[in-house]
Amino acid sequence: MLSLIIFLPLLGGLIILFLPKTSERAMKQIALICSTASLVFSLLAVTQFRLGGGMQFQERYSWIPSIAVNYHLGVDGLSLPLIVLTAVLSVLSVIYSWRMDVRLKEYLFLFLLLETGMLGVFAALDFFLFYIFWEVTLVPMYFLIGIWGGPRREYAAIKFFLYTLVGSLAMLLAILILYFNAEPHTFSMLELIRQQPLADAPLLAALAFWGFFLSFAIKVPMWPFHTWLPDAHVEAPTAGSVILAGILLKMGTYGFVRVSLPMLPGTFKAYAFFIAVLALLGIVYGALVAMAQTDLKKLVAYSSVNHMGYVMLGIAAAAGAVGDPSKAAAAATALNGAVFEMIAHGIITGGLFFIVGVLYDYRAHTRGVDEFGGLGARLPVYSGITTLAMLASLGLPGLMGFVAEFLVFLGSFGVFPYLTAVAVTGVVFTAAMFLWTIQRIFLGPLNPRWATLADMDAREKLTLVPLAVLMVIFGLYPKPLLDLINAAMSGLVTALR
Amino acid sequence: MLQYAWLIPLLPFLGFWWILFAGRRAPGEGAYVAIGALMASAVLSVAAFIEVLRGGHYETNLVWAVLAGRPLEIGFQVDPLTAVMLLVVTVVGSLIFIYSIGYMHGDPRYPRFFAYMSLFAASMLLLVLANDFLALYAGWELVGLCSYLLIGFWFERPAAARASMKAFVTTRVGDLFMFLGILLIFLTLGTLNFEEIFEGVEAGRMTGGLLTLAAVLVFGGAVGKSAQVPLHVWLPDAMEGPTPVSALIHAATMVAAGVYLVARMYPLFFGTPSHEALTLVAYIGGITAIMAATIGVVQDDIKRVMAYSTISQLGYMMMGLGVLGFTAGVFHLMTHAFFKALLFLAAGSVIHAMHTNDIKQMGGLGQVMPYTYGTMLVGGLALAGIPPFAGFWSKDEILLEAYHHDQGLFIIGAVGAFLTAFYIFRMIIYTFTGTLRSHEAHPHESPRVMTVPLVILAIFSTVVGFVGAPWWDNPFHHFVRFEAAEGVAFDLNFAIMSTAIAAAGSLAALIVYRWQWVSSASLRRAVGPLYTAVVRKYYWDELYQFVIVRPVVWAARRLRTFDVYVIDGAVNAVGAVIVWFARLYRIFDLYVVDGAVNLIGWTAKTLGGVLRYVQTGRPQNYLLVIALGVIALVVVGVIR
């Protein structure tokens, strides 16, 4: 099941490679079919998922027995929502990219390869496999930015690639530290969690922790490792930005929850406060810098720094509560909030990048926030969906972002009350930032330059309406999704107690 | 009927979606849907009210999330306080919706107006039905959203766009404090449910400074929403919205939500050491009441007069709650909702006729707009506190409570009451008496769809105060009450005095503006610099601009530069250093490593080049070399 979900997109990509260059329609259809099939299977997995059943749909085959590498897949309440999110955003990105006409074959192949890599990262339970998938995501994204990107694409692509590669190498080192200290040597993540090989070696544990930290923190990105993000986002093509913000960033936070927290809980606890401070800086700093941006895409990119700060605050709070049973409830709440924020941010910010693309790619060809004005009267549907997404992003109750922020704050406050109190101020800055943006683009008198702009067409609606619906549904009643997440998070917190 | 109370917010919510998607195809282009839904809610509310009157109580909960085995519930409850609020919101709301048919007629975004209004009604009803902080906070933010959308309804006007953002962000500052209060309560008591919180406070699980801090933080939300000092600055600007919006959201219901919050959380405030949180509430309310009243005196925009009046009256409500007059505060909330909605709608009728807000342009409208004039007069009398109109009963009660609790606050309240009567009659005299000053305007009475709601509201504003009158044993006091803060009994002498204050204020307005025995210019000169301060609204906006807005924008711009040049600069510097090293290696590579390799190659090549001459390919040369070799060997052998 999981292998099918992961490799269906790659299969589609390989088929596309063998099609003649002229059959563009067939290529797009295959891409759509394969990514949709992957989505359908992932939804099927959700229906068959048993709450409280731990790791499920496990697949395990011996791969390189001499160094104990296995092909081992499995999902729990943490990874399953992320897999579905990946599949959803991939399908929508393919739909959005329908009009792509530059080197379509390579584009679709790389895109599908990227999807396979991302799905693999979330499903892999063997570090060797995890690392391979992790690196697989890097290459297609490099080319997506470097070939289909904006004017400074080469710079952005190389920056993205090298920056994350540095992180990957640190992670490789950390993985090897774990591997060689486990007895017997193993790459199995579940086995490493059970063994806790570095529990009695604080120095090595710290080394491994910072190795993982560097890799994940760059990916998240945490302050001050965030500067690759605005460049990569601004230069990437729309679908690339969506995937980058929606999924690739989540790989970092996923790593913190899947690897750092359960494998090195004691070390994480020791540095939890420091990491929470970095998260706090990301929250306030991200919101303020976003406010000063005049490029819409950069603005959304910095708002990601802000929102990923909430995720990291929740995770750091959970780490800070390790070993303290009286704070276990707060830790579980914070972790639930953090994971929910991952999904919420994927949906909302993914949506926001589509929104920027709708305006930039085929209409205005500019992203300068101050160059618009009064579009609300001209583009009612577009304005409505944009406003909805931005309100969701600023944490309005009834929409997804609120649930996430509410839970993160509710939990973190029990662990780091003062830090959280400062972090809550970020909410005001975020609100000011998005409302100011709405005001500058949609309100006021219509700028005559845009008097002939067309509203969203059917395909654009098809990409954005599902995301808007998800924002509302899980914002009003998050229980179905939270039950799934909570199943994994309460188990994790119990294990850490 | 009480078990259907959850339908009350749901109906307008469904109406919202219906209008949003149907747009121009909705019945009555949305108006009928909105009005139908809200009137159905009104009927349900009346039924619920009657059942609560008979002693009914309703509570229902829904598990919203389960976090590590701990359920987080949201729920509804109907108790007397909620029942009163339901009635106010649905009845006043329905009348305002009907009025809007006329007022918004011909607007290009007519359906959207009713969609937003329906969403507002739903959110407001959610807010008053909530039995926990989660649902309350959700409703609280959603009414804020609707306020944002409706203030900026005519968003083509830059002033409206700015005002909407100012309203949302300013109230969000208050909400930030409230949210921290909620977090503090949750951390200490482990629950968001009101009943459980009150039980916890009563059981002494949250006491002393911590409880005060929580109460004050929660009050922060009320300060923002109810436009109390120092977060009142957004409400006057909010008048950029259509007048029915001002009537419903910024007079009758949403801005009263802060007062409702304090009333709802009364045990929390009451339980603080020597009621210190309530003392703060009372003083903030008192300061707001008098400050806004003074500003109201100098406003020339008819809606801004009302806006400052609203701020001032909300201050009275807060003061009432703060001086342990729980019932008095809630009572004033209710009466104010009716007469202030009336005043706003009447003002809207005037604006509809005049196409201007400036009362200096108006005059003599009494003759052409008799219904508007008559109803406005009723509203003015009610606001001023002249018996038997509604405002008298509630304001008198607040002043009485203040008199018995804190003399200083009573004096503030009494001066405020005088000013209230003064500014409202100043506005009415300017607008309706004398002769028309504008030359372009052709005023006319508004259509019946607007005047009928005005008349109904005028009737309410006349009679609704009787529920708190002493004649029938003061039924309101028996219905909405807080055990430990029983009100002071009605006092006839005191009532005569408060009437006299109101009458004096009205009379002063007549003297200055109608009969003009004293010119307003001479009054202005008499108060001197105070006048300037009042006209500039005590410089609050300038203060915020200077202390908050500009520093934040400045910091944001600086941080952006910091981000580009310092953080990203550092990243690029690392990259540059590596590239530089690479160059260095390249030179080393080129000249040393590669040089060595090349040297070997060069040596081999040179050697080869030299040795090449050996290999001539001619047999005779080779034979010669062999012969020479043989000779050499022979020579060597012989010498040995």
Side-chain angles (χ1 to χ4, degrees):
Chain A
M1 182 80 151
L2 288 178
S3 294
L4 203 60
I5 295 172
I6 294 172
F7 289 107
L8 263 174
L10 182 62
L11 178 72
L14 290 174
I15 295 172
I16 286 171
L17 277 190
F18 288 104
L19 286 176
K21 236 190 174 88
T22 44
S23 51
E24 295 199 338
R25 202 175 166 74
M27 287 194 267
K28 288 186 232 175
Q29 278 164 348
I30 287 173
L32 186 60
I33 289 167
C34 287
S35 53
T36 310
S38 186
L39 173 63
V40 169
F41 281 114
S42 70
L43 290 175
L44 207 63
V46 172
T47 60
Q48 292 177 5
F49 190 82
R50 282 177 301 107
L51 286 180
M55 273 304 164
Q56 294 169 41
F57 308 107
Q58 289 199 34
E59 293 172 27
R60 190 181 171 134
Y61 308 102
S62 187
W63 185 10
I64 313 175
S66 54
I67 52 168
V69 169
N70 291 305
Y71 175 84
H72 188 182
L73 302 175
V75 287
D76 63 357
L78 168 64
S79 41
L80 189 55
L82 287 167
I83 284 178
V84 177
L85 176 71
T86 308
V88 169
L89 286 182
S90 298
V91 171
L92 297 180
S93 296
V94 170
I95 295 173
Y96 182 86
S97 305
W98 214 254
R99 281 201 260 182
M100 170 62 67
D101 42 15
V102 186
R103 300 170 73 173
L104 182 72
K105 184 191 255 191
E106 293 99 313
Y107 180 83
L108 289 176
F109 170 72
L110 288 170
F111 201 89
L112 293 167
L113 177 63
L114 180 62
E115 187 183 353
T116 292
M118 295 183 297
L119 292 168
V121 165
F122 294 132
L125 289 179
D126 184 282
F127 257 133
F128 195 85
L129 193 61
F130 178 81
Y131 188 76
I132 286 176
F133 279 127
W134 183 281
E135 294 297 290
V136 160
T137 60
L138 210 51
V139 181
M141 196 36 120
Y142 169 75
F143 284 113
L144 283 177
I145 298 174
I147 296 175
W148 291 271
R152 288 174 74 227
R153 54 180 174 258
E154 277 100 358
Y155 170 74
I158 288 184
K159 192 172 181 179
F160 163 77
F161 190 87
L162 289 182
Y163 215 144
T164 34
L165 193 67
V166 168
S168 306
L169 294 178
M171 173 162 74
L172 187 61
L173 183 74
I175 291 174
L176 292 178
I177 292 175
L178 280 174
Y179 173 77
F180 283 113
N181 283 281
E183 201 53 54
H185 295 345
T186 179
F187 282 111
S188 162
M189 290 159 106
L190 299 181
E191 179 62 20
L192 286 169
I193 291 171
R194 205 185 51 73
Q195 273 198 18
Q196 297 287 329
L198 298 177
D200 306 317
L203 199 68
L204 279 177
L207 199 61
F209 178 80
W210 289 114
F212 282 123
F213 175 83
L214 189 64
S215 169
F216 299 150
I218 288 172
K219 207 79 175 179
V220 169
M222 288 188 78
W223 191 91
F225 302 109
H226 63 274
T227 51
W228 64 267
L229 182 78
D231 283 317
H233 269 313
V234 167
E235 301 308 323
T238 296
S241 294
V242 170
I243 295 297
L244 191 58
I247 315 295
L248 288 190
L249 306 189
K250 308 301 172 299
M251 285 164 47
T253 46
Y254 172 80
F256 276 112
V257 181
R258 173 69 81 218
V259 177
S260 303
L261 197 52
M263 287 184 203
L264 303 157
T267 323
F268 203 164
K269 182 186 166 69
Y271 301 116
F273 187 79
F274 172 71
I275 291 171
V277 170
L278 289 186
L280 176 65
L281 277 171
I283 291 170
V284 178
Y285 181 94
L288 281 173
V289 176
M291 200 188 290
Q293 298 301 327
T294 47
D295 181 323
L296 190 54
K297 225 172 173 179
K298 261 196 179 157
L299 189 145
V300 179
Y302 275 104
S303 85
S304 289
V305 175
N306 163 273
H307 282 97
M308 297 312 278
Y310 294 131
V311 181
M312 286 314 298
L313 181 67
I315 296 173
V322 165
D324 188 348
S326 67
K327 288 178 181 165
T333 309
L335 264 185
N336 270 301
V339 178
F340 197 90
E341 178 79 278
M342 290 189 211
I343 309 295
H345 179 263
I347 291 175
I348 296 167
T349 307
L352 280 174
F353 277 114
F354 277 132
I355 282 166
V356 177
V358 167
L359 194 59
Y360 174 74
D361 288 347
Y362 301 110
R363 288 189 176 73
H365 303 291
T366 175
R367 295 183 302 250
V369 176
D370 295 316
E371 291 173 46
F372 295 99
L375 295 193
R378 181 75 208 146
L379 312 171
V381 179
Y382 180 71
S383 311
I385 288 192
T386 308
T387 309
L388 183 82
M390 289 191 172
L391 290 173
S393 191
L394 67 81
L396 189 88
L399 299 170
M400 262 188 115
F402 168 72
V403 181
E405 285 172 22
F406 184 74
L407 295 180
V408 166
F409 288 141
L410 209 58
S412 313
F413 196 72
V415 184
F416 300 129
Y418 297 106
L419 278 184
T420 309
V422 181
V424 175
T425 58
V427 171
V428 176
F429 295 129
T430 324
M433 179 245 304
F434 277 120
L435 294 187
W436 197 22
T437 311
I438 291 174
Q439 183 188 333
R440 285 183 287 175
I441 296 181
F442 298 114
L443 310 186
L446 178 64
N447 185 340
R449 189 173 152 199
W450 311 117
T452 55
L453 228 52
D455 208 342
M456 285 175 25
D457 62 25
R459 187 150 40 240
E460 288 161 348
K461 281 183 197 162
L462 195 61
T463 45
L464 277 166
V465 169
L467 295 177
V469 170
L470 286 176
M471 286 176 213
V472 175
I473 288 180
F474 289 126
L476 288 175
Y477 191 60
K479 191 161 177 290
L481 178 54
L482 269 176
D483 279 348
L484 199 60
I485 295 169
N486 185 49
M489 292 306 111
S490 48
L492 177 56
V493 169
T494 317
L496 293 177
R497 206 176 285 183
Chain B
M1 287 304 279
L2 268 180
Q3 63 270 28
Y4 299 115
W6 52 272
L7 274 172
I8 296 175
L10 190 65
L11 290 173
F13 189 64
L14 295 177
F16 161 70
W17 288 107
W18 184 355
I19 303 169
L20 196 67
F21 282 111
R24 291 272 170 204
R25 281 159 297 160
E29 291 186 52
Y32 297 160
V33 178
I35 294 166
L38 192 58
M39 282 178 90
S41 293
V43 170
L44 283 171
S45 300
V46 170
F49 183 81
I50 291 167
E51 278 199 34
V52 173
L53 213 53
R54 293 201 195 118
H57 185 86
Y58 169 78
E59 187 151 8
T60 182
N61 287 302
L62 169 80
V63 177
W64 189 69
V66 183
L67 304 165
R70 190 167 55 163
L72 205 58
E73 291 186 330
I74 53 171
F76 289 163
Q77 65 171 6
V78 183
D79 65 353
L81 180 61
T82 297
V84 169
M85 292 299 292
L86 287 178
L87 217 53
V88 167
V89 174
T90 53
V91 171
V92 176
S94 299
L95 291 170
I96 293 173
F97 278 24
I98 294 168
Y99 173 95
S100 305
I101 296 178
Y103 192 85
M104 298 305 289
H105 180 76
D107 192 278
R109 287 189 287 271
Y110 186 82
R112 206 191 298 179
F113 178 82
F114 283 97
Y116 290 166
M117 289 293 258
S118 291
L119 182 62
F120 170 77
S123 317
M124 188 69 207
L125 292 166
L126 169 70
L127 194 164
V128 298
L129 276 165
N131 74 349
D132 61 284
F133 265 124
L134 186 56
L136 180 125
Y137 188 76
W140 188 267
E141 290 291 306
L142 285 173
V143 290
L145 165 72
C146 298
S147 164
Y148 167 77
L149 293 172
L150 284 162
I151 294 170
F153 188 73
W154 291 319
F155 57 74
E156 287 91 346
R157 305 206 306 229
R162 268 198 307 276
S164 63
M165 181 176 161
K166 184 174 176 183
F168 195 92
V169 176
T170 312
T171 49
R172 205 141 214 239
V173 172
D175 298 349
L176 165 76
F177 290 108
M178 175 163 119
F179 191 74
L180 288 175
I182 295 173
L183 291 180
L184 196 59
I185 289 168
F186 185 78
L187 181 64
T188 318
L189 298 173
T191 179
L192 294 174
N193 182 283
F194 293 150
E195 270 318 306
E196 290 170 20
I197 290 170
F198 300 155
E199 279 164 20
V201 170
E202 214 154 289
R205 282 190 285 130
M206 191 176 194
T207 49
L210 195 64
L211 183 60
T212 307
L213 180 63
V216 169
L217 285 171
V218 169
F219 180 57
V223 168
K225 205 58 120 193
S226 286
Q228 300 292 293
V229 172
L231 295 179
H232 63 284
V233 290
W234 64 272
L235 187 58
D237 290 6
M239 296 301 126
E240 291 294 335
T243 306
V245 171
S246 311
L248 180 62
I249 301 184
H250 305 117
T253 55
M254 185 191 83
V255 288
V259 180
Y260 168 79
L261 178 71
V262 176
R264 171 57 68 209
M265 301 312 294
Y266 212 65
L268 191 74
F269 288 85
F270 196 78
T272 55
S274 61
H275 315 316
E276 57 189 17
L278 283 176
T279 311
L280 178 76
V281 172
Y283 273 92
I284 292 280
I287 292 167
T288 308
I290 186 121
M291 199 195 75
T294 54
I295 301 175
V297 172
V298 300
Q299 294 296 316
D300 289 337
D301 181 319
I302 188 167
K303 284 182 75 181
R304 285 188 181 245
V305 176
M306 305 292 198
Y308 282 105
S309 164
T310 304
I311 297 175
S312 168
Q313 295 305 307
L314 291 165
Y316 274 106
M317 295 172 209
M318 288 292 187
M319 191 167 99
L321 292 174
V323 295
L324 304 187
F326 176 78
T327 311
V330 178
F331 189 27
H332 198 52
L333 192 170
M334 182 182 81
T335 58
H336 176 260
F338 286 103
F339 67 70
K340 190 49 72 61
L342 168 63
L343 282 169
F344 262 111
L345 294 190
S349 177
V350 169
I351 295 166
H352 196 63
M354 291 290 298
H355 300 290
T356 175
N357 287 11
D358 189 354
I359 53 173
K360 296 269 170 78
Q361 297 284 311
M362 302 174 189
L365 294 182
Q367 277 111 37
V368 281
M369 310 180 74
Y371 285 104
T372 306
Y373 183 35
T375 50
M376 180 81 99
L377 210 52
V378 171
L381 289 167
L383 173 67
I386 307 284
F389 297 98
F392 161 74
W393 303 101
S394 49
K395 194 184 286 178
D396 176 61
E397 236 177 88
I398 289 174
L399 291 176
L400 184 65
E401 298 280 359
Y403 182 74
H404 285 281
H405 188 81
D406 187 329
Q407 298 277 337
L409 279 174
F410 165 71
I411 292 168
I412 289 177
V415 175
F418 175 85
L419 289 172
T420 306
F422 185 78
Y423 67 65
I424 196 66
F425 281 104
R426 168 181 174 268
M427 185 274 283
I428 290 176
I429 291 163
Y430 262 127
T431 310
F432 291 102
T433 65
T435 50
L436 188 62
R437 284 175 287 274
S438 165
H439 300 294
E440 292 99 59
H442 304 285
H444 52 84
E445 181 60 285
S446 296
R448 193 160 302 164
V449 71
M450 289 165 71
T451 52
V452 169
L454 282 179
V455 172
I456 297 172
L457 278 172
I459 294 167
F460 270 115
S461 302
T462 314
V463 302
V464 81
F466 295 146
V467 300
W471 311 324
W472 299 302
D473 192 29
N474 204 338
F476 195 78
H477 276 245
H478 294 287
F479 188 54
V480 181
R481 55 206 277 256
F482 187 74
E483 297 284 344
E486 283 295 351
V488 184
F490 183 78
D491 180 340
L492 188 62
N493 293 330
F494 192 89
I496 291 169
M497 186 183 69
S498 75
T499 310
I501 294 169
S506 318
L507 210 61
L510 283 169
I511 288 171
V512 178
Y513 298 104
R514 181 79 186 106
W515 303 319
Q516 297 178 349
W517 297 342
V518 184
S519 81
S520 55
S522 67
L523 278 181
R524 243 175 275 150
R525 274 193 299 279
V527 291
L530 182 65
Y531 175 77
T532 324
V534 172
V535 168
R536 304 302 298 272
K537 298 167 254 169
Y538 298 105
Y539 302 99
W540 282 105
D541 279 326
E542 288 81 358
L543 178 78
Y544 286 140
Q545 192 66 30
F546 194 71
V547 177
I548 296 176
V549 177
R550 281 209 207 138
V552 167
V553 174
W554 181 85
R557 298 237 160 93
R558 283 292 157 284
L559 280 179
R560 183 176 78 161
T561 316
F562 174 80
D563 202 60
V564 172
Y565 290 104
V566 180
I567 298 188
D568 203 29
V571 173
N572 281 340
V574 170
V577 167
I578 291 172
V579 170
W580 184 76
F581 267 114
R583 292 239 171 83
L584 206 66
Y585 284 137
R586 181 168 159 266
I587 291 166
F588 179 79
D589 214 46
L590 211 61
Y591 295 103
V592 182
V593 179
D594 209 27
V597 173
N598 284 346
L599 186 70
I600 294 168
W602 180 81
T603 314
K605 194 175 150 196
T606 318
L607 226 60
V610 173
L611 290 177
R612 190 173 58 151
Y613 299 109
V614 178
Q615 303 189 357
T616 55
R618 295 196 192 119
Q620 48 270 55
N621 285 6
Y622 295 148
L623 282 175
L624 181 67
V625 171
I626 293 168
L628 286 175
V630 169
I631 292 166
L633 287 173
V634 169
V635 170
V636 169
V638 169
I639 293 170
R640 256 195 182 165

